[in-house]
Amino acid sequence: MKNQHNAQKRYLKSNRLTIGVLLFLSCFTSCKKELTVDPPTNTLATGSVFKNDGSVIAAQLAVYSLINANQGTLELYSGLSSDELTNYSNTQLKVDLYHNNLAQQNDGGLGSIWNIIYGAIYGENAILQNLPSSNGISPRIKQLTTGEALFGRAYLYFQLVNMFGDVPLVLTTDYTKNSALPRTPKDQVYGQIVTDLKAAQGLLSQNYLDPSDNVTTDKVRPTTWAADALLARVYLYMGKYDLAEQQASLVIASSNFSLSPISGANSVFTINSSEAIWQLTPSTSTKFTNEGLNFVIVKNPTSSIGGVSLSPQMLNAFEANDARQVNWIGSFSQGSNTWYFPYKYKATSTATILTEYSMVLRLGEQYLIRAEARAQQGKLIGPASASEDLNIIRMRAGLPNYAGMTDQTSLLTAIMHERQVELFTEGHRWYDLKRTKTVDAVMSVVTPTKNGTWQSYQQLYPLPVADLTYDPNLVQNTGY
């Protein structure tokens, strides 16, 4: 019984995902970085939970709250692992991430991240499992929520495979089966991600909807465009470049999105910016994002919440006169010391008005996805080429058109550099280094500057020790 109970805790943790009045949402605040996950209730696992349209929509919104609680932490941890951030915190996990020296006993599963993600996956699986038999739900809401749950599950598994590699592929709420699942090969997990997203494309709305199913300007519930955008990213990671170009082109060609100005009241990271494809809203009790709390330095970083600043490597990556360097990097001085920090999000805990949502998918990334996909297919210069897409992003940053060599290798290098300076601290850099197989070359130089020693196995994070104990078919990543 002990193993069964722990196995149930492992994959069915739902962080008070109990639907009723959804007091779940009050369990999180943007200030709470180290989250704990409670043992599951059985409420969500029964079809009787979903008695009306509002209850099932509320269940899905609760999953988004879990994703939001994790999002800023993922960006912080990946920035520490890569060459984006300098660490000043004494928290052991942050120290280990920064030195690329994680230990399975202390850092397995990266604190609570593994459990939170699987808790959210459990929520999506419960919704998908119980919706068909739930009475009182309108056909439209069944369709839309099925699409959102498939999209959410795909996004969650995308994060898991890029952090941990092969992971258990949990598609039901049956803990008796889930408790003994082995790790599923990453390629197979990607296959499920694609299956979920392709199904979601045909189920989601083309319009943004509020919790009452009315059209809204808030971009916090995913649409077909979000499924297109995430699928473009997934295909790029899978090396299916023609399909990545196709999906990114759907988003770019639509009339729903346009590149936002880098500065000003309607800049990229503000609420419902023209560039946003999918955003996450902070807790109802806060007026700032997790990113703003983690990254903006308002006092000595040794005592700040995030405990990080931008690394020298990141600061030196910008070209002269890059508007992103001027507007997306801030500074804080104390005595003779000056620290530079990510300033994409301006609001911190002193904010009194909510002006920003956390960005998950945006148009700028889609141009860079298509640029890379086109370069990989040999579409290098001229109309509908990699260089054309690259120059659109450079022009928005106030930079001249790319003037370097136009062979495939040179253009791909230029696009990767553009991703580095456009998408910094949004959770992309660490994944980019790994998927392009440049992580060893970059980190063997960077890690020693962080007082660590780089070894290739460190590109994957260790699994939680407790899960390895309770699941006889689960094995640890090599090196831990």
Side-chain angles (χ1 to χ4, degrees):
M1 286 297 295
K2 179 181 178 182
N3 280 0
Q4 187 182 65
H5 172 69
N6 283 291
Q8 184 185 32
K9 285 177 68 177
R10 182 178 139 223
Y11 287 127
L12 304 192
K13 288 176 177 178
S14 60
N15 238 359
R16 301 183 180 91
L17 200 58
T18 59
I19 313 309
V21 213
L22 280 193
L23 292 176
F24 159 84
L25 293 174
S26 68
C27 295
F28 297 98
T29 68
S30 295
C31 299
K32 191 173 181 183
K33 295 293 117 186
E34 298 302 325
L35 297 167
T36 58
V37 184
D38 291 344
T41 67
N42 291 324
T43 311
L44 189 56
T46 63
S48 63
V49 171
F50 305 130
K51 296 180 179 180
N52 52 51
D53 288 355
S55 64
V56 71
I57 292 173
Q60 184 56 48
L61 294 178
V63 177
Y64 297 148
S65 183
L66 271 178
I67 294 174
N68 177 61
N70 235 13
Q71 189 69 20
T73 304
L74 291 177
E75 293 161 349
L76 175 63
Y77 288 1
S78 64
L80 284 167
S81 295
S82 66
D83 56 356
E84 291 185 320
L85 298 173
T86 296
N87 178 57
Y88 297 93
S89 171
N90 292 323
T91 303
Q92 190 62 54
L93 176 54
K94 291 180 181 178
V95 171
D96 292 346
L97 282 162
Y98 184 61
H99 292 157
N100 301 115
N101 188 34
L102 294 169
Q104 66 167 345
Q105 196 65 44
N106 297 327
D107 310 315
L110 276 75
S112 59
I113 282 181
W114 171 280
N115 286 336
I116 293 172
I117 291 180
Y118 271 112
I121 288 171
Y122 168 72
E124 302 293 35
N125 286 341
I127 290 170
L128 292 168
Q129 179 176 306
N130 289 292
L131 261 183
S133 60
S134 295
N135 298 321
I137 311 298
S138 67
R140 171 178 167 79
I141 297 304
K142 281 189 176 183
Q143 173 188 318
L144 292 174
T145 312
T146 298
E148 289 190 54
L150 289 168
F151 173 88
R153 186 169 72 179
Y155 179 75
L156 291 160
Y157 272 116
F158 174 82
Q159 297 295 346
L160 279 174
V161 295
N162 280 284
M163 286 188 288
F164 300 101
D166 302 343
V167 295
L169 184 58
V170 182
L171 300 176
T172 73
T173 60
D174 186 349
Y175 74 86
T176 60
K177 294 180 180 179
N178 297 339
S179 62
L181 283 176
R183 298 174 67 171
T184 301
K186 182 173 70 172
D187 289 348
Q188 189 175 331
V189 179
Y190 266 121
Q192 184 64 49
I193 292 171
V194 170
T195 297
D196 284 355
L197 288 175
K198 290 176 74 173
Q201 285 176 312
L203 298 169
L204 291 167
S205 169
Q206 290 195 349
N207 297 314
Y208 290 98
L209 303 173
D210 68 14
S212 298
D213 194 33
N214 297 314
V215 175
T216 180
T217 56
D218 263 1
K219 299 180 176 183
V220 297
R221 292 181 66 186
T223 62
T224 54
W225 308 110
D228 293 340
L230 183 54
L231 193 52
R233 183 193 294 181
V234 169
Y235 279 142
L236 184 74
Y237 277 53
M238 295 174 73
K240 296 186 176 183
Y241 301 117
D242 56 336
L243 296 176
E245 178 186 6
Q246 179 186 93
Q247 293 299 314
S249 293
L250 288 175
V251 180
I252 293 169
S254 78
S255 59
N256 296 282
F257 313 101
S258 60
L259 292 178
S260 301
I262 288 177
S263 63
N266 299 310
S267 62
V268 176
F269 299 93
T270 52
I271 292 175
N272 308 325
S273 77
S274 64
E275 185 162 339
I277 301 169
W278 182 40
Q279 295 178 299
L280 295 167
T281 180
S283 163
T284 54
S285 63
T286 60
K287 305 298 182 185
F288 51 90
T289 63
N290 292 331
E291 290 87 351
L293 194 68
N294 280 331
F295 293 136
V296 176
I297 298 177
V298 296
K299 57 183 176 180
N300 190 308
T302 58
S303 57
S304 65
I305 291 176
V308 297
S309 70
L310 282 174
S311 70
Q313 293 88 355
M314 189 66 245
L315 290 170
N316 292 331
F318 291 90
E319 300 172 48
N321 303 315
D322 190 326
R324 293 166 296 196
Q325 187 176 36
V326 175
N327 294 281
W328 289 354
I329 294 178
S331 64
F332 174 79
S333 297
Q334 187 177 77
S336 61
N337 297 314
T338 298
W339 298 273
Y340 296 90
F341 57 87
Y343 203 34
K344 291 178 172 179
Y345 300 87
K346 317 299 185 187
T348 64
S349 58
T350 59
T352 57
I353 300 174
L354 182 62
T355 58
E356 298 167 335
Y357 288 165
S358 294
M359 186 75 74
V360 187
L361 296 168
R362 64 182 177 95
L363 187 63
E365 182 201 358
Q366 295 299 302
Y367 275 109
L368 291 170
I369 286 172
R370 193 170 71 175
E372 185 176 343
R374 284 174 166 175
Q376 291 284 3
Q377 296 175 85
K379 302 175 182 179
L380 305 177
I381 57 174
S385 69
S387 57
E388 182 181 66
D389 285 333
L390 175 62
N391 287 333
I392 288 172
I393 295 299
R394 289 179 61 82
M395 180 173 62
R396 196 261 295 265
L399 296 174
N401 284 347
Y402 171 72
M405 301 289 290
T406 55
D407 61 283
Q408 186 182 58
T409 299
S410 298
L411 262 175
L412 284 170
T413 299
I415 291 165
M416 287 305 299
H417 174 264
E418 207 65 36
R419 286 182 66 90
Q420 182 183 16
V421 294
E422 173 72 22
L423 303 174
F424 70 95
T425 62
E426 294 181 50
H428 295 274
R429 176 65 171 170
W430 182 235
Y431 295 173
D432 282 347
L433 291 175
K434 293 190 290 183
R435 70 177 177 84
T436 59
K437 302 187 185 334
T438 55
V439 65
D440 288 335
V442 171
M443 297 310 297
S444 62
V445 174
V446 171
T447 303
T449 69
K450 303 193 292 183
N451 296 318
T453 302
W454 175 254
Q455 298 184 67
S456 189
Y457 78 83
Q458 294 161 334
Q459 63 187 280
L460 293 178
Y461 296 146
L463 276 59
V465 173
D467 289 62
L468 296 166
T469 301
Y470 300 130
D471 185 345
N473 297 315
L474 202 61
V475 294
Q476 184 60 276
N477 276 323
T478 300
Y480 294 105

